[in-house]
């Protein structure tokens, strides 16, 4: 799941880049679910993944 808007803002304040900024404005969690893990690891290639 990608972060909601305010978490995406905190990511930016921390000086790093949200790899799914287009999903941050989605109002519901269902719209922010990443169904295919390859979309994260292969397509977006983040340096670090933070989960909670």
């Amino acid at each position: 799941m990608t972060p909601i808007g305010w978490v995406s803002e905190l990511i930016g304040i921390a000086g790093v880049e949200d790899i799914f900024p287009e999903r941050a404005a989605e109002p519901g969690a269902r719209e922010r679910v990443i169904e295919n893990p390859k979309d994260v690891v292969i397509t977006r290639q983040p340096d670090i993944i933070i989960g909670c």
Side-chain angles (χ1 to χ4, degrees), residues 2 5-9 11 16-18 20-22 25 31-32 36 45-47 50:
T2 63
W6 65 270
V7 176
S8 184
E9 289 177 24
I11 290 170
V16 294
E17 181 182 348
D18 181 355
F20 288 100
E22 71 279 3
E31 292 84 13
R32 292 182 286 108
N36 186 349
Q45 299 179 341
D47 292 328
I50 299 173

Side-chain angles (χ1 to χ4, degrees), residues 37-48:
K38 290 180 181 179
D39 288 341
V40 177
V41 180
I42 296 172
T43 306
R44 307 285 174 129
Q45 299 179 341
D47 292 328
I48 187 171

Side-chain angles (χ1 to χ4, degrees), residues 1-4 18-20 23-24 26 29 31-34 40:
M1 179 178 288
T2 63
I4 196 163
D18 181 355
I19 63 169
F20 288 100
R23 294 191 182 198
E26 295 293 343
E31 292 84 13
R32 292 182 286 108
V33 172
I34 300 168
V40 177

